[in-house]
Amino acid sequence: MSATDRDPAADPAARRRHPRLFRAVTRRRRPKLRRTDITVTDEAAVKRAVRAASLGNAMEWFDFGIYAYLAVTLGHVFFPSGNDTVQLLSSFATFAVAFLIRPLGGMVFGPMGDRLGRKKVLALTMILMAVGTFAIGLIPSYASIGFWAPVLLVFFRMVQGFSTGGEYGGASTFIAEYAPDRRRGYFGSFLEFGTLAGYVGAAGLVTALTAWLGSDTMEAWGWRVPFLVAGPLGLVGLYLRMRLDETPAFQKLESDASTASEAADAVGATTKGDLAKIFRQQWPALILCIALVGAYNITDYMLLSYMPTYLSDELGYSETHGLLILLLVMVLLMAIITQVGRLNDRFGRKPVLMAGMLGFLFLSLPAFLLIGQGGIPAVSLGMLMLGLSLVCMLGTMSAALPALFPTDVRYGSLSVGYNLSTSLFGGTTPLVITALIGATGNNLMPAYYAMGAALVGVIAVACMKETARRPLQGSPPSVETPEEATELVLAQTPGPKF
């Protein structure tokens, strides 16, 4: 059977014989936008949403940054004395535990966010995150309670991981659904500004405490201070999130339920059913999401989490020295990340993401060779090369990833894909690199690992569709002014024929 036999619309002769019929079919399939279909954003509301989502993200990475930057100290506090490498591996294994539990959190909180709303779930994840981090600061050391110290550490790391399973997917969805189509990259970049702010806050606090208290005092009790700070930060973030309205896209989705019974059925749906729908209907986008996030997370965690440990344990720098250099690089990235957001709004997500992936593919080895030479100029230049590649991804991913999925399953699909990938590739990065260096004795293994991840990322970016300046799947267009909405409606009306 030919294509024209299966689809009469593909037959030009049929179109010529029945022009009105085919115009009616086309209108039914793709109805014209009405003015009421278009969302006109409130800039003040968008900024409140961005601020609340970004603060939560900053807290998440403040928590994880603290643990990464104190990995050596925590290895001494919570694990029996012995081989330094074994202690470090044990500490990083506990770091990875939080990531192994993240997919479970994503599978619970993601579908819940699609059924009950983004705002409620983001408030819940904020509470759990603050409790988990604050509790770590209260755990007695191994010397005090023995075996139960690492057990409690692992438990509260799992609480952190479970809560963050619903954090990034929800926060990026929240901002993407609030932002106007033409500026989604710019507003989305503030989410990763929060990531860098969290890392900078963690690195700055750990560096200041180490310089002030000294290594012995840090190991005795100073390490607790950064974890205890998370409690008040969590309360501030919760207050900001509770003051927000639900996203316009989710409100539109709720209002489109044709009957009250359909809305009740949607709320009563099970998480198991939601997950089955995601895996059955969204698997191509899920695979693409996992590949993109895997490449992004390996390079992200290698630079922002593992690098201070690499400089101190593998190259012999003092802990404070390595953190200060990384701190300066991250402050520079914070200064330019919103400009990267503007760039991907103007030129597209794919070109900017591809620049970042190619940067890691071709610059990782030269960067680590520079870092290995030692000296502040060489180390700073090497880390800056990696940082500029990373910021292309940081400033773009939070706008690119939510656009992969339709509104009704966006939170759930993104949470599942993002956290599966982060669990497999992101959180295990410090552990894998440490093990590879230990097995091979080659200090360039981080560069080779990043290059392999970047190659996968290049292929994934090549396969994705461009989504810049376009409405999100399943959502009406979102604009900044009523005039822009009117222009969209008028653009559908063909000009007069003479």
Side-chain angles (χ1 to χ4, degrees):
M1 184 182 288
S2 68
T4 54
D5 291 332
R6 290 192 303 268
D7 183 9
D11 185 356
R15 282 184 171 279
R16 286 193 296 271
R17 288 194 300 270
H18 308 286
R20 291 184 179 179
L21 174 62
F22 279 97
R23 281 198 296 271
V25 170
T26 301
R27 281 196 299 270
R28 183 160 187 163
R29 288 179 177 175
R30 297 191 295 272
K32 287 186 178 182
L33 282 172
R34 295 167 298 177
R35 172 63 185 79
T36 53
D37 293 329
I38 300 171
T39 301
V40 179
T41 59
D42 176 357
E43 186 165 354
V46 173
K47 289 179 177 178
R48 283 197 303 272
V50 169
R51 188 162 51 244
S54 300
L55 180 61
N57 209 47
M59 181 184 164
E60 176 185 352
W61 298 115
F62 177 82
D63 297 347
F64 279 91
I66 287 169
Y67 193 97
Y69 300 143
L70 289 171
V72 176
T73 302
L74 293 175
H76 295 157
V77 172
F78 286 103
F79 299 98
S81 59
N83 186 287
D84 286 344
T85 301
V86 172
Q87 284 187 329
L88 183 61
L89 282 171
S90 299
S91 183
F92 275 139
T94 308
F95 179 79
V97 161
F99 288 86
L100 296 178
I101 202 71
R102 280 181 70 158
L104 180 60
M107 291 178 186
V108 172
F109 290 123
M112 192 187 299
D114 284 325
R115 283 186 280 118
L116 304 180
R118 287 57 164 129
K119 170 186 169 179
K120 295 175 183 176
V121 176
L122 282 173
L124 180 58
T125 60
M126 174 69 77
I127 295 170
L128 286 175
M129 201 186 321
V131 168
T133 307
F134 187 79
I136 289 176
L138 301 177
I139 301 173
S141 68
Y142 183 89
S144 300
I145 61 172
F147 168 77
W148 290 106
V151 168
L152 288 171
L153 178 63
V154 169
F155 174 75
F156 287 115
R157 285 291 293 166
M158 290 174 71
V159 171
Q160 282 184 318
F162 186 72
S163 66
T164 53
E167 174 63 32
Y168 183 88
S172 56
T173 294
F174 202 80
I175 292 179
E177 291 182 351
Y178 253 108
D181 296 333
R182 293 185 179 181
R183 300 181 70 195
R184 188 167 293 116
Y186 170 70
F187 285 116
S189 66
F190 280 95
L191 188 65
E192 299 297 355
F193 181 91
T195 298
L196 291 171
Y199 273 123
V200 166
L205 184 55
V206 170
T207 301
L209 285 171
T210 304
W212 179 36
L213 299 175
S215 298
D216 292 339
T217 307
M218 278 295 289
E219 193 169 312
W221 59 267
W223 65 269
R224 299 181 185 276
V225 174
F227 289 101
L228 297 177
V229 167
L233 282 179
L235 293 176
V236 173
L238 180 63
Y239 170 74
L240 288 176
R241 286 187 172 181
M242 291 304 293
R243 292 179 64 233
L244 294 172
D245 293 326
E246 192 51 82
T247 68
F250 187 79
Q251 290 180 22
K252 174 71 173 173
L253 188 67
E254 283 189 313
S255 68
D256 283 346
S258 58
T259 64
S261 62
E262 286 179 355
D265 289 342
V267 173
T270 64
T271 297
K272 183 177 179 181
D274 292 335
L275 290 173
K277 178 182 177 183
I278 287 170
F279 283 109
R280 185 174 62 251
Q281 297 180 359
Q282 302 298 323
W283 64 266
L286 275 176
I287 292 173
L288 184 59
C289 177
I290 289 170
L292 286 168
V293 173
Y296 157 59
N297 267 277
I298 286 174
T299 52
D300 184 12
Y301 283 96
M302 181 197 70
L303 181 61
L304 300 186
S305 291
Y306 174 72
M307 190 58 74
T309 302
Y310 177 78
L311 291 174
S312 60
D313 277 28
E314 306 300 337
L315 302 183
Y317 288 90
S318 70
E319 293 176 29
T320 304
H321 188 167
L323 278 174
L324 279 174
I325 295 174
L326 180 58
L327 197 60
L328 291 173
V329 171
M330 288 193 292
V331 168
L332 176 61
L333 299 188
M334 288 177 67
I336 64 175
I337 191 168
T338 56
Q339 299 308 311
V340 174
R342 293 182 193 274
L343 281 177
N344 72 69
D345 276 333
R346 182 175 180 182
F347 298 107
R349 319 288 187 229
K350 292 184 66 170
V352 180
L353 281 176
M354 188 64 80
M357 298 295 182
L358 291 175
F360 272 106
L361 184 60
F362 293 111
L363 297 179
S364 290
L365 191 56
F368 273 90
L369 287 172
L370 273 172
I371 292 169
Q373 289 181 5
I376 291 179
V379 173
S380 300
L381 180 58
M383 291 178 68
L384 186 60
M385 290 165 64
L386 298 174
L388 291 176
S389 300
L390 179 63
V391 80
C392 292
M393 291 185 263
L394 283 172
T396 309
M397 279 292 182
S398 50
L401 294 176
L404 295 175
F405 304 104
T407 302
D408 61 331
V409 292
R410 180 171 296 124
Y411 195 152
S413 300
L414 181 52
S415 293
V416 169
Y418 184 90
N419 288 294
L420 279 174
S421 188
T422 302
S423 174
L424 291 171
F425 306 112
T428 58
T429 294
L431 180 65
V432 170
I433 292 177
T434 302
L436 286 173
I437 292 175
T440 64
N442 187 343
N443 285 338
L444 293 177
M445 289 309 297
Y448 297 134
Y449 196 50
M451 290 167 68
L455 183 58
V456 173
V458 167
I459 297 170
V461 173
C463 293
M464 68 181 282
K465 294 179 181 178
E466 183 56 72
T467 57
R469 304 170 69 86
R470 298 174 187 174
L472 294 168
Q473 287 188 60
S475 295
S478 179
V479 299
E480 294 182 85
T481 64
E483 291 76 17
E484 193 177 344
T486 303
E487 287 177 12
L488 277 179
V489 174
L490 292 178
Q492 300 174 109
T493 305
K497 296 182 179 180
F498 296 99

